Amino acid sequence: MPILSNLDFTRSNLHVAYRASLDPQLVDISVATAGVTRFPYAQLTVRKLLTSVNSGSAGGARFPPTAGAAIITDEGSDPCGPNYFWRVRMAAVDPLFLRTVVEELRMAGLDHPVTSMRITGSLPLDATVLSVREADVKRWLDDPDAYVGQWPDPGFPVVDQGRWAMFRIRLGAEITPALRRKLDLLALGWLNDVSSYIWDTGEPEAGRIDRSLPRCGSGKVEFAAGYDDFYFKTGPARARLVNALSRFHATVAPIELAEISP
Protein backbone atom coordinates (compact mmCIF):
# COMPACT_ATOMS: atom_id res chain seq x y z
CA MET A 1 0.00 0.00 0.00
CA PRO A 2 1.47 3.42 -0.91
CA ILE A 3 2.91 5.39 2.00
CA LEU A 4 1.48 8.72 0.87
CA SER A 5 -2.22 9.51 0.53
CA ASN A 6 -4.20 10.25 -2.66
CA LEU A 7 -2.65 7.36 -4.58
CA ASP A 8 -5.70 5.11 -4.83
CA PHE A 9 -5.64 5.42 -8.63
CA THR A 10 -2.34 3.50 -8.74
CA ARG A 11 -4.12 0.25 -7.87
CA SER A 12 -5.55 -0.15 -11.37
CA ASN A 13 -5.13 3.10 -13.31
CA LEU A 14 -1.39 3.72 -13.37
CA HIS A 15 0.47 2.81 -16.58
CA VAL A 16 4.25 3.15 -16.93
CA ALA A 17 6.58 2.09 -19.74
CA TYR A 18 9.94 3.83 -19.48
CA ARG A 19 13.56 2.99 -20.27
CA ALA A 20 16.09 5.44 -18.89
CA SER A 21 18.91 6.51 -21.18
CA LEU A 22 21.67 9.07 -21.61
CA ASP A 23 20.22 9.70 -25.04
CA PRO A 24 17.27 12.12 -25.29
CA GLN A 25 13.82 10.62 -25.72
CA LEU A 26 10.23 11.82 -25.72
CA VAL A 27 8.21 10.97 -22.63
CA ASP A 28 4.43 11.40 -22.62
CA ILE A 29 2.75 12.15 -19.30
CA SER A 30 -1.03 12.20 -19.07
CA VAL A 31 -3.16 12.69 -15.99
CA ALA A 32 -6.94 12.54 -15.63
CA THR A 33 -8.67 14.08 -12.61
CA ALA A 34 -12.23 14.22 -11.33
CA GLY A 35 -12.76 17.94 -11.87
CA VAL A 36 -11.58 21.37 -12.99
CA THR A 37 -9.38 23.43 -10.66
CA ARG A 38 -9.17 27.19 -10.22
CA PHE A 39 -5.38 27.16 -10.12
CA PRO A 40 -2.94 25.57 -12.63
CA TYR A 41 -1.25 23.45 -9.97
CA ALA A 42 -0.46 20.56 -12.32
CA GLN A 43 1.38 22.79 -14.77
CA LEU A 44 3.50 24.28 -12.00
CA THR A 45 4.25 20.82 -10.63
CA VAL A 46 5.55 19.56 -13.97
CA ARG A 47 7.79 22.58 -14.31
CA LYS A 48 9.10 21.99 -10.81
CA LEU A 49 9.94 18.38 -11.73
CA LEU A 50 11.72 19.46 -14.90
CA THR A 51 13.71 22.03 -12.94
CA SER A 52 14.96 19.15 -10.78
CA VAL A 53 16.07 17.28 -13.89
CA ASN A 54 17.83 20.33 -15.30
CA SER A 55 19.57 20.98 -11.99
CA GLY A 56 21.16 17.52 -12.18
CA SER A 57 19.51 15.99 -9.14
CA ALA A 58 17.30 13.42 -10.94
CA GLY A 59 20.04 11.31 -12.55
CA GLY A 60 20.64 9.40 -9.35
CA ALA A 61 23.57 7.01 -9.12
CA ARG A 62 23.19 5.92 -12.75
CA PHE A 63 23.66 9.11 -14.76
CA PRO A 64 26.12 12.00 -14.32
CA PRO A 65 24.45 15.16 -12.95
CA THR A 66 25.72 17.15 -15.95
CA ALA A 67 23.70 14.99 -18.36
CA GLY A 68 20.21 15.62 -16.98
CA ALA A 69 18.03 17.59 -19.40
CA ALA A 70 14.30 18.11 -19.85
CA ILE A 71 12.07 20.45 -21.84
CA ILE A 72 8.35 20.46 -22.65
CA THR A 73 7.76 20.06 -26.39
CA ASP A 74 3.94 19.79 -26.29
CA GLU A 75 1.40 20.79 -23.68
CA GLY A 76 -1.95 19.74 -25.04
CA SER A 77 -4.27 20.40 -22.16
CA ASP A 78 -6.23 23.06 -20.31
CA PRO A 79 -4.05 24.45 -17.48
CA CYS A 80 -6.83 23.73 -14.98
CA GLY A 81 -7.87 20.29 -16.20
CA PRO A 82 -9.61 18.02 -15.72
CA ASN A 83 -7.33 16.20 -18.20
CA TYR A 84 -3.66 17.01 -18.62
CA PHE A 85 -0.99 16.05 -21.15
CA TRP A 86 2.69 16.88 -21.51
CA ARG A 87 5.27 15.63 -23.99
CA VAL A 88 8.75 16.08 -22.57
CA ARG A 89 12.12 15.62 -24.26
CA MET A 90 14.43 14.39 -21.56
CA ALA A 91 17.68 12.54 -20.97
CA ALA A 92 19.59 10.95 -18.09
CA VAL A 93 16.67 10.59 -15.67
CA ASP A 94 16.91 7.67 -13.25
CA PRO A 95 13.90 5.31 -13.31
CA LEU A 96 13.46 5.86 -9.56
CA PHE A 97 12.64 9.49 -10.28
CA LEU A 98 9.30 8.29 -11.64
CA ARG A 99 8.28 7.60 -8.05
CA THR A 100 8.60 11.32 -7.36
CA VAL A 101 6.78 12.20 -10.59
CA VAL A 102 3.79 10.08 -9.54
CA GLU A 103 3.80 11.34 -5.96
CA GLU A 104 4.03 14.99 -7.01
CA LEU A 105 1.36 14.71 -9.70
CA ARG A 106 -1.04 12.82 -7.39
CA MET A 107 -2.23 16.29 -6.34
CA ALA A 108 -2.65 17.55 -9.92
CA GLY A 109 -6.36 18.17 -9.41
CA LEU A 110 -5.99 19.67 -5.93
CA ASP A 111 -9.40 18.89 -4.34
CA HIS A 112 -10.31 16.68 -7.30
CA PRO A 113 -8.60 13.26 -7.08
CA VAL A 114 -6.48 11.85 -9.87
CA THR A 115 -8.33 9.01 -11.60
CA SER A 116 -5.57 7.80 -13.92
CA MET A 117 -1.96 8.48 -14.89
CA ARG A 118 0.23 7.32 -17.78
CA ILE A 119 3.98 7.80 -18.26
CA THR A 120 5.32 6.41 -21.54
CA GLY A 121 8.78 6.85 -23.01
CA SER A 122 9.60 6.57 -26.70
CA LEU A 123 12.45 4.08 -26.22
CA PRO A 124 11.56 0.37 -26.36
CA LEU A 125 11.84 -1.50 -23.08
CA ASP A 126 14.55 -4.11 -22.58
CA ALA A 127 15.52 -6.59 -19.87
CA THR A 128 17.84 -4.22 -17.95
CA VAL A 129 17.20 -2.37 -14.69
CA LEU A 130 16.80 0.82 -16.73
CA SER A 131 13.40 -0.40 -17.98
CA VAL A 132 10.44 -0.07 -15.63
CA ARG A 133 6.70 -0.61 -15.68
CA GLU A 134 3.90 0.32 -13.31
CA ALA A 135 4.58 -2.71 -11.09
CA ASP A 136 8.04 -1.32 -10.33
CA VAL A 137 6.73 2.15 -9.50
CA LYS A 138 3.95 0.75 -7.30
CA ARG A 139 6.53 -1.24 -5.37
CA TRP A 140 8.61 1.90 -4.84
CA LEU A 141 5.58 3.83 -3.55
CA ASP A 142 5.51 1.39 -0.65
CA ASP A 143 9.26 1.51 0.05
CA PRO A 144 10.65 4.25 2.36
CA ASP A 145 14.09 3.94 0.75
CA ALA A 146 13.23 3.77 -2.96
CA TYR A 147 14.48 7.15 -4.15
CA VAL A 148 17.18 8.24 -6.60
CA GLY A 149 20.69 7.64 -5.33
CA GLN A 150 23.88 9.69 -5.24
CA TRP A 151 26.30 10.03 -8.13
CA PRO A 152 29.52 8.40 -6.87
CA ASP A 153 31.96 11.11 -7.96
CA PRO A 154 30.58 14.62 -7.35
CA GLY A 155 33.96 16.22 -8.10
CA PHE A 156 34.72 17.63 -4.63
CA PRO A 157 35.04 16.31 -1.06
CA VAL A 158 31.81 15.90 0.95
CA VAL A 159 31.98 15.94 4.76
CA ASP A 160 29.06 14.94 7.00
CA GLN A 161 28.41 17.37 9.83
CA GLY A 162 26.00 16.62 12.66
CA ARG A 163 22.27 16.01 12.46
CA TRP A 164 20.75 19.44 11.90
CA ALA A 165 19.53 20.33 8.43
CA MET A 166 22.06 22.51 6.66
CA PHE A 167 24.84 22.63 4.13
CA ARG A 168 27.92 24.78 3.73
CA ILE A 169 30.14 25.00 0.68
CA ARG A 170 33.48 26.66 -0.03
CA LEU A 171 33.87 27.83 -3.60
CA GLY A 172 36.93 28.32 -5.72
CA ALA A 173 35.55 31.65 -6.90
CA GLU A 174 34.42 34.87 -5.23
CA ILE A 175 30.69 35.06 -4.56
CA THR A 176 29.34 37.94 -6.62
CA PRO A 177 25.72 39.15 -6.32
CA ALA A 178 24.81 37.15 -9.44
CA LEU A 179 26.45 34.02 -8.06
CA ARG A 180 24.73 34.53 -4.69
CA ARG A 181 21.34 34.53 -6.42
CA LYS A 182 22.17 31.21 -8.05
CA LEU A 183 23.25 29.79 -4.69
CA ASP A 184 20.00 30.92 -3.08
CA LEU A 185 18.07 29.13 -5.83
CA LEU A 186 20.19 26.03 -5.26
CA ALA A 187 19.26 26.05 -1.57
CA LEU A 188 15.56 26.47 -2.36
CA GLY A 189 15.83 23.80 -5.05
CA TRP A 190 16.89 21.20 -2.48
CA LEU A 191 13.65 21.72 -0.60
CA ASN A 192 11.63 21.57 -3.82
CA ASP A 193 13.42 18.37 -4.87
CA VAL A 194 12.45 16.44 -1.73
CA SER A 195 9.18 18.10 -0.73
CA SER A 196 7.20 14.91 -1.43
CA TYR A 197 9.70 12.61 0.31
CA ILE A 198 8.60 10.80 3.45
CA TRP A 199 10.11 11.90 6.76
CA ASP A 200 12.75 10.06 8.75
CA THR A 201 10.01 8.51 10.88
CA GLY A 202 8.97 6.47 7.84
CA GLU A 203 5.64 8.27 7.60
CA PRO A 204 4.41 11.33 5.75
CA GLU A 205 4.13 14.19 8.23
CA ALA A 206 2.57 17.60 7.89
CA GLY A 207 5.03 20.43 8.34
CA ARG A 208 4.98 24.19 7.99
CA ILE A 209 6.53 24.98 4.65
CA ASP A 210 7.56 28.43 5.87
CA ARG A 211 9.72 26.78 8.57
CA SER A 212 11.31 24.58 5.90
CA LEU A 213 12.49 27.48 3.75
CA PRO A 214 16.27 27.98 3.82
CA ARG A 215 18.02 30.73 5.76
CA CYS A 216 21.03 31.61 3.63
CA GLY A 217 24.24 33.50 4.24
CA SER A 218 27.53 33.99 2.44
CA GLY A 219 31.02 35.40 2.80
CA LYS A 220 33.71 35.98 0.22
CA VAL A 221 33.91 32.34 -0.93
CA GLU A 222 31.60 30.47 1.47
CA PHE A 223 27.84 29.91 1.35
CA ALA A 224 25.61 28.25 3.92
CA ALA A 225 21.92 27.37 4.10
CA GLY A 226 20.07 26.20 7.22
CA TYR A 227 16.58 24.73 7.56
CA ASP A 228 14.36 24.34 10.62
CA ASP A 229 11.56 21.84 9.84
CA PHE A 230 13.50 19.66 7.40
CA TYR A 231 13.15 16.04 8.47
CA PHE A 232 12.93 14.34 5.09
CA LYS A 233 14.45 10.88 4.69
CA THR A 234 18.12 11.56 5.38
CA GLY A 235 19.98 9.39 2.86
CA PRO A 236 17.76 10.12 -0.16
CA ALA A 237 17.61 13.84 0.67
CA ARG A 238 21.39 14.04 0.95
CA ALA A 239 21.77 12.26 -2.41
CA ARG A 240 19.61 14.84 -4.19
CA LEU A 241 21.65 17.70 -2.72
CA VAL A 242 25.03 16.16 -3.62
CA ASN A 243 23.84 15.59 -7.20
CA ALA A 244 22.65 19.20 -7.54
CA LEU A 245 25.90 20.48 -6.05
CA SER A 246 27.86 18.35 -8.51
CA ARG A 247 25.99 19.93 -11.44
CA PHE A 248 26.60 23.38 -9.95
CA HIS A 249 30.31 22.58 -9.54
CA ALA A 250 30.64 21.54 -13.18
CA THR A 251 28.53 24.24 -14.82
CA VAL A 252 28.37 27.33 -12.56
CA ALA A 253 31.27 27.66 -10.10
CA PRO A 254 33.86 25.23 -8.71
CA ILE A 255 33.20 23.80 -5.24
CA GLU A 256 36.29 23.04 -3.14
CA LEU A 257 34.45 21.50 -0.17
CA ALA A 258 30.88 20.68 0.88
CA GLU A 259 29.78 20.09 4.48
CA ILE A 260 26.34 18.56 4.68
CA SER A 261 23.89 17.62 7.37
CA PRO A 262 22.00 15.36 7.07
Side-chain angles (χ1 to χ4, degrees):
M1 182 176 179
I3 297 172
L4 299 186
S5 60
N6 301 104
L7 287 164
D8 290 347
F9 70 91
T10 62
R11 295 174 184 170
S12 56
N13 289 314
L14 174 66
H15 174 79
V16 176
Y18 171 73
R19 174 163 65 89
S21 173
L22 272 172
D23 297 321
Q25 66 175 304
L26 295 176
V27 178
D28 290 348
I29 304 172
S30 58
V31 180
T33 67
V36 176
T37 67
R38 295 184 178 181
F39 181 76
Y41 183 80
Q43 309 287 19
L44 295 176
T45 298
V46 167
R47 282 159 175 77
K48 168 185 167 181
L49 291 165
L50 300 192
T51 296
S52 293
V53 174
N54 290 319
S55 72
S57 79
R62 295 187 173 100
F63 299 111
T66 52
I71 186 172
I72 295 173
T73 64
D74 186 14
E75 196 165 19
S77 56
D78 188 294
C80 294
N83 299 311
Y84 303 90
F85 172 79
W86 302 270
R87 176 163 289 167
V88 180
R89 181 180 299 278
M90 69 184 193
V93 173
D94 192 295
L96 281 160
F97 186 66
L98 296 193
R99 182 223 180 118
T100 297
V101 173
V102 172
E103 289 184 334
E104 291 277 5
L105 284 174
R106 80 190 196 282
M107 300 303 297
L110 293 176
D111 293 334
H112 304 288
V114 170
T115 57
S116 67
M117 187 181 300
R118 296 178 66 89
I119 304 172
T120 308
S122 59
L123 297 178
L125 301 188
D126 58 22
T128 70
V129 295
L130 296 179
S131 291
V132 295
R133 292 190 177 274
E134 58 271 12
D136 301 292
V137 177
K138 287 195 280 188
R139 185 175 68 254
W140 298 335
L141 295 172
D142 192 35
D143 185 344
D145 297 307
Y147 295 100
V148 296
Q150 179 180 314
W151 183 246
D153 183 18
F156 48 85
V158 179
V159 178
D160 290 320
Q161 293 285 353
R163 293 290 300 171
W164 59 93
M166 59 79 68
F167 72 91
R168 180 185 295 110
I169 56 176
R170 185 174 72 237
L171 300 176
E174 184 173 348
I175 298 176
T176 63
L179 182 54
R180 171 60 194 266
R181 286 192 291 272
K182 293 179 180 180
L183 288 163
D184 287 341
L185 289 174
L186 176 70
L188 181 60
W190 186 26
L191 174 62
N192 284 333
D193 285 347
V194 302
S195 61
S196 65
Y197 279 27
I198 64 168
W199 288 31
D200 262 330
T201 58
E203 301 290 335
E205 297 188 26
R208 287 179 50 187
I209 191 65
D210 60 313
R211 285 181 56 81
S212 299
L213 294 173
R215 294 171 285 101
C216 303
S218 63
K220 184 176 181 180
V221 296
E222 289 191 348
F223 174 86
Y227 307 75
D228 292 326
D229 287 352
F230 191 101
Y231 305 114
F232 303 102
K233 192 71 173 173
T234 301
R238 181 186 186 279
R240 293 294 294 274
L241 174 59
V242 171
N243 291 349
L245 289 173
S246 182
R247 172 75 166 245
F248 190 93
H249 167 76
T251 62
V252 180
I255 297 174
E256 294 184 344
L257 176 68
E259 299 176 348
I260 298 175
S261 174

